[in-house]
């Protein structure tokens, strides 16, 4: 264990997340980090239900991470604020909101499976947020683990410049350490909880280590101008073309810019490789000073700017998790929720250790803490000094794709159910609740079957409600297949007072891809600009319900080609109504198609069950896109309608004698039969 420190200056803070596909071992990596840094006194295990970050009863029952959990620890004079994120696709919105407030990330990969579907999904999300990463190839002690194969899959599917800085010592069950190619030393673990030992590089590995160090130097020199200069002037007889210091500095700068990704390896479950990973976090990932400023510079003396990224209800009250970007927040301070103009009081400030909290008197720029006392701030709210308002861009919640009907089994609990559902959607913005206009049922919508199962279980466990849940239903869409031109709509209303008059002519045509596009070709001022905007707003109103089944409409372009006004009776309200009603009339005349959500399904099963798996996917209207044999198993990828994925886990276990697994990632929409 490194020496713990009290000082926590901004340059020594690391705000990072652990990202991975489900079962890659990220929670185990997090647990080993907490143990090695002295934040916990014993190792937590996923299979024993003793982990710090998977503290929710459902997480321990299911053996997966469902809710992002924040923890803090110290390593080598640095404060590490760590968020363990979910790996299952149904909880990707938790990952999205976490990435919004993180400065860096550790991407964990399975040493056998390499880049898996959800690995790629969370990697792309990190790309969109510009979050620098280091990669950790875990489970190097498993049969079939291959660092070079994983690096190749990272290069092919995620990033053109992975930079492996270690060479494994031993393979599979004999994996016992790594060669550090930056410092040219061996790091060895004897097992049984023994600490890491530093040794000279074994003689039998020295030629390969030198070769790989040379390849690393060449790759870095090709990406980093400063390293290239030293690389070119160093004589060949000198051995290493780059000094250790130059190489380390170049690796850090390439990581911060996103031009390269440092790759390390280990076996977290057996306590091997985590110390070098912590050293890499400190050496290569950014501090709050190294990332672009969010509205204000990361300065504790600046006016307060913070972003709320998570809200949770606990036995002790409502917790609002925030990331401070600038300023200092003290216990009892008043803050402004800038988006809605509401002033609230931060009663207490908590340093978070998953489900355990330690109260502190203040938090400064760069900190991730939980606040007690905020009554209405939601995830995505900007909290700032009342005298210096500023609004940060909030994380965008994902659009739900699956719905279930929920009702209380006892009519007396209807009011409690409504309040509990409101609490659920406050804690998880990717859930939504609405009443079905035709049936009167309450519909709970989310990201997948498991997502809704977890939400229903929270209603039962946390709120003590007996609820009945219907079968999952997917969210359909409608789109234009063949458009119409010159649809005229005249909106005239006269009811004694001021009248309403609006005349519009619309063209509707299909649009490549999803979404909605609006344009105007009206000339001569026949429709003033403010009325054109009102027509667009009315058209957007009409997209809420299409003519086929009342589903949202997407994939169309609307052009306002002509119109007319009345000198007294025309108004923005009248033209908005004309846009809404005119587009409805146009859609009724168009050739429309129903779209259903589809998923990219990846099935891993024994070779001998491949035929049964393929046949079952075909029966589910799946379109197979690839099949790869790997060490006695077959990995099949297919595009399958989301409605056909419900209940697939049980069917797959039966077809593969309990040995098959699958993942499903949203893949957009496709025409329904």
């Amino acid at each position: 264990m490194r020496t713990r420190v009290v000082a926590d200056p901004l340059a020594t803070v690391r705000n990072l997340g652990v990202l991975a596909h489900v079962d890659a071992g990220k929670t185990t990596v997090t647990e080993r980090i907490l143990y090695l840094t002295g934040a916990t006194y014993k190792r937590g295990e996923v299979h024993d239900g003793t982990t710090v970050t998977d503290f929710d009863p459902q997480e321990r029952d299911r053996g997966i991470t469902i809710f992002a959990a924040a923890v803090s620890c110290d390593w080598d004079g640095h404060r590490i604020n760590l968020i363990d994120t979910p790996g299952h696709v149904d909880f990707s919105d938790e990952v999205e909101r976490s990435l919004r407030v993180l400065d860096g990330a550790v991407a964990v990969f399975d040493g056998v499976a390499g880049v898996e579907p959800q690995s790629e999904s969370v990697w792309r999300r990190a790309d969109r947020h510009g979050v620098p990463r280091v990669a950790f190839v875990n489970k190097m002690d498993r049969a079939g683990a291959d660092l070079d194969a994983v690096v190749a899959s990272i290069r092919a599917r995620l990033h053109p410049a992975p930079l492996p800085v270690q060479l494994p010592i031993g393979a599979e069950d004999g994996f016992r350490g790594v060669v550090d190619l930056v410092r040219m030393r061996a790091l060895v673990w004897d097992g049984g909880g023994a600490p890491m030992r530093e040794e000279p590089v074994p003689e039998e590995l020295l030629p390969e280590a030198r070769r790989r160090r040379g390849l690393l130097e060449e790759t870095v020199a090709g990406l980093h101008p400063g390293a290239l200069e030293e690389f070119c002037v160093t004589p060949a007889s000198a051995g290493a073309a780059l000094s250790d210091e130059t190489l380390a500095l170049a690796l850090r700068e390439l990581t911060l810019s996103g031009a390269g990704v440092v790759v390390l390896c280990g076996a977290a479950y057996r306590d091997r490789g985590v110390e070098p990973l912590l050293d890499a976090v400190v050496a290569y990932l950014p501090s709050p000073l190294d990332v672009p400023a969010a509205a204000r510079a990361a300065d504790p003396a600046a006016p307060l700017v913070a972003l709320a990224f998570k809200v949770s209800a606990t036995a002790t009250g409502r917790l609002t998790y925030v990331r401070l970007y600038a300023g200092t927040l003290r216990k009892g301070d008043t803050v402004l929720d800038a988006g809605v103009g509401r002033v609230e009081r931060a009663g207490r400030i908590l340093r978070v250790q998953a489900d355990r909290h330690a109260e502190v008197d203040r938090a400064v720029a760069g900190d991730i803490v939980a606040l007690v006392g905020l009554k209405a701030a939601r995830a995505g709210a900007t909290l700032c000094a009342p005298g210096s308002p500023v609004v940060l861009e909030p994380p965008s919640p994902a659009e739900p794709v699956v719905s279930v009907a929920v009702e209380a089994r006892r009519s007396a609990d209807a009011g409690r159910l409504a309040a509990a559902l409101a609490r659920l959607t406050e804690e998880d913005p990717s859930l939504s609740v609405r009443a079905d206009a035709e049936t009167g049922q309450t519909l709970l919508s989310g990201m997948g079957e498991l997502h809704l199962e977890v939400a229903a279980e929270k209603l039962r466990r946390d709120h003590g409600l007996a609820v009945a849940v219907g079968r999952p239903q997917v969210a359909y869409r409608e789109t234009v297949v063949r458009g119409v031109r010159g649809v005229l709509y005249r909106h005239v209303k006269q009811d004694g007072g001021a009248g309403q008059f609006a005349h519009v002519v619309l063209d509707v045509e299909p649009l490549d891809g999803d979404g909605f596009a609006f344009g105007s070709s009206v000339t001569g001022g026949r429709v003033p600009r403010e009325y054109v905007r009102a027509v667009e707003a009315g058209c957007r109103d009409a997209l809420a319900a299409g003519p086929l089944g009342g589903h949202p409409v997407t994939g169309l372009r609307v052009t306002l080609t002509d119109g007319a006004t009345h000198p007294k009776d025309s108004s923005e309200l009248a033209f908005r109504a004309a846009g809404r009603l005119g587009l409805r009339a146009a859609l009724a005349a168009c050739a429309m198609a129903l779209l259903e959500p589809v998923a990219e399904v990846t099935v891993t099963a024994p070779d001998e069950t491949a035929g049964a798996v393929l046949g079952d996917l075909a029966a589910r209207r799946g379109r197979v896109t690839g099949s790869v044999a790997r060490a006695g198993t077959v990995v099949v990828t297919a595009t399958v309608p989301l409605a056909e994925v419900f209940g697939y886990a049980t069917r797959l276990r039966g077809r593969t004698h309990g040995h098959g697994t699958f993942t499903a990632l949203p893949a957009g929409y496709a025409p329904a039969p």
Side-chain angles (χ1 to χ4, degrees):
M1 189 184 88
R2 300 296 180 96
T3 302
R4 298 188 62 148
V5 293
V6 176
D8 190 12
L10 207 55
T12 59
V13 172
R14 298 291 183 271
N15 292 316
L16 65 132
V18 184
L19 314 174
H21 184 91
V22 66
D23 287 337
K26 59 187 168 28
T27 298
T28 301
V29 170
T30 304
E31 291 296 320
R32 295 306 183 265
I33 288 175
L34 294 178
Y35 178 73
L36 286 168
T37 57
T40 57
Y41 66 92
K42 69 174 184 178
R43 303 169 182 82
E45 305 294 356
V46 173
H47 57 272
D48 291 335
T50 58
T51 57
V52 172
T53 53
D54 286 355
F55 57 85
D56 188 271
Q58 290 204 69
E59 295 179 309
R60 293 184 170 177
D61 290 348
R62 299 174 187 270
I64 61 172
T65 301
I66 296 173
F67 310 107
V71 291
S72 296
C73 56
D74 297 313
W75 181 258
D76 196 21
H78 291 70
R79 161 72 64 175
I80 298 176
N81 297 317
L82 184 66
I83 297 182
D84 180 24
T85 64
H88 196 286
V89 64
D90 281 18
F91 309 104
S92 57
D93 200 59
E94 285 272 320
V95 182
E96 183 76 17
R97 284 182 280 123
S98 298
L99 282 170
R100 178 64 178 79
V101 299
L102 294 173
D103 299 328
V106 174
V108 180
F109 299 93
D110 187 306
V112 178
V115 177
E116 298 175 271
Q118 184 65 359
S119 311
E120 189 165 0
S121 175
V122 296
W123 188 277
R124 300 302 176 207
R125 289 175 183 271
D127 280 343
R128 289 199 300 272
H129 289 278
V131 175
R133 279 140 281 169
V134 297
F136 181 70
V137 180
N138 193 26
K139 303 187 179 182
M140 290 297 296
D141 56 336
R142 286 183 56 196
D146 186 339
L147 175 63
D148 291 338
V150 177
V151 170
S153 67
I154 293 173
R155 180 180 293 109
R157 298 179 59 180
L158 303 180
H159 199 285
L163 303 169
V165 296
Q166 292 177 341
L167 168 67
I169 300 175
E172 300 181 349
D173 194 52
F175 173 77
R176 64 186 189 91
V178 297
V179 175
D180 175 4
L181 299 177
V182 178
R183 304 295 178 191
M184 289 304 286
R185 57 184 178 166
L187 306 175
V188 179
W189 293 265
D190 292 328
M196 179 184 76
R197 290 186 295 107
E198 183 176 332
E199 299 178 348
V201 179
E203 285 294 330
E204 65 275 14
L205 289 178
L206 199 53
E208 179 64 10
R210 286 172 174 159
R211 185 184 73 84
R212 291 186 180 235
R213 165 69 183 239
L215 290 174
L216 177 63
E217 291 175 347
E218 288 181 19
T219 306
V220 168
L223 298 169
H224 189 276
L228 177 62
E229 183 177 347
E230 183 173 320
F231 185 87
C232 292
V233 300
T234 303
S237 59
L242 299 178
S243 67
D244 295 353
E245 292 71 22
T246 298
L247 181 57
L249 177 62
L251 289 171
R252 173 175 170 77
E253 293 180 356
L254 291 173
T255 300
L256 296 184
S257 68
V261 177
V262 170
V263 182
L264 304 98
C265 65
Y269 180 68
R270 296 173 68 178
D271 304 295
R272 296 173 182 176
V274 181
E275 295 96 324
L277 175 62
L278 281 165
D279 289 338
V281 164
V282 167
Y284 305 130
L285 290 181
S287 76
L289 297 174
D290 297 316
V291 297
R296 295 191 178 112
D299 180 1
L304 176 70
V305 178
L307 183 70
F309 66 95
K310 182 179 174 67
V311 175
S312 68
T314 69
T316 57
R318 185 180 191 267
L319 292 183
T320 305
Y321 292 80
V322 300
R323 158 71 191 271
L324 273 70
Y325 288 98
T328 299
L329 179 66
R330 294 176 176 81
K331 182 170 64 174
D333 277 359
T334 297
V335 298
L336 173 68
D337 185 341
V340 296
R342 183 189 300 111
V343 174
E344 298 206 54
R345 181 175 175 273
R348 291 189 294 150
I349 303 172
L350 304 178
R351 182 81 64 189
V352 182
Q353 203 74 355
D355 60 338
R356 295 179 288 117
H357 314 109
E359 189 166 343
V360 295
D361 291 330
R362 64 172 193 154
V364 300
D367 275 341
I368 293 177
V369 295
L371 305 182
V372 180
L374 303 186
K375 293 181 172 58
R378 300 178 70 92
T382 301
L383 306 178
C384 57
S388 301
V390 65
V391 177
L392 302 179
E393 181 182 356
S396 301
E399 187 175 347
V401 293
V402 182
S403 302
V404 292
V406 181
E407 64 181 27
R409 292 191 180 275
R410 298 187 308 165
S411 57
D413 287 340
R416 289 180 58 212
L417 175 61
L421 289 171
R423 179 65 61 84
L424 279 185
T425 56
E426 181 183 46
E427 294 183 15
D428 185 352
S430 61
L431 289 170
S432 67
V433 177
R434 65 181 176 87
D436 188 292
E438 294 184 4
T439 65
Q441 291 179 308
T442 298
L443 298 182
L444 177 64
S445 302
M447 301 304 299
E449 194 174 8
L450 179 59
H451 190 200
L452 295 178
E453 282 181 20
V454 168
E457 189 62 24
K458 280 180 72 70
L459 292 174
R460 298 185 183 105
R461 289 191 183 188
D462 298 356
H463 299 275
L465 287 166
V467 294
V469 180
R471 287 178 53 83
Q473 302 291 327
V474 300
Y476 291 98
R477 297 285 184 268
E478 298 178 25
T479 192
V480 174
V481 177
R482 187 179 65 253
V484 293
R485 290 185 172 276
V487 175
L488 183 151
Y489 189 85
R490 184 185 295 264
H491 178 68
V492 180
K493 189 175 181 181
Q494 204 74 36
D495 52 7
Q500 293 186 25
F501 178 89
H503 175 116
V504 297
V505 180
L506 303 175
D507 288 352
V508 179
E509 58 186 331
L511 178 70
D512 289 337
D514 296 331
F516 167 71
F518 181 87
S520 172
S521 60
V522 178
T523 58
R526 291 177 59 80
V527 179
R529 184 176 302 174
E530 61 271 22
Y531 293 167
V532 172
R533 289 196 295 268
V535 173
E536 179 180 358
C539 289
R540 292 186 182 276
D541 294 341
L543 299 178
L548 293 183
H551 307 293
V553 182
T554 187
L556 72 160
R557 182 191 306 277
V558 176
T559 305
L560 176 66
T561 60
D562 202 357
T565 62
H566 186 277
K568 292 184 178 179
D569 294 342
S570 289
S571 64
E572 291 186 27
L573 180 65
F575 272 89
R576 182 164 185 160
R580 181 179 72 255
L581 299 172
L583 182 53
R584 285 182 183 173
L587 291 175
C590 290
M592 304 290 293
L594 190 67
L595 301 176
E596 62 179 344
V598 295
E600 180 186 320
V601 174
T602 302
V603 182
T604 304
D607 272 339
E608 61 271 17
T609 63
V613 168
L614 291 170
D616 190 42
L617 287 173
R620 293 173 181 269
R621 298 189 284 129
R623 180 172 57 84
V624 175
T625 56
S627 178
V628 178
R630 181 194 294 159
T633 63
V634 62
V635 180
V636 178
T637 56
T639 302
V640 184
L642 186 60
E644 301 288 349
V645 179
F646 299 148
Y648 182 55
T650 302
R651 184 70 171 267
L652 179 64
R653 282 196 295 269
R655 296 276 177 142
T656 61
H657 313 296
H659 298 295
T661 60
F662 83 99
T663 59
L665 290 176
Y669 282 79

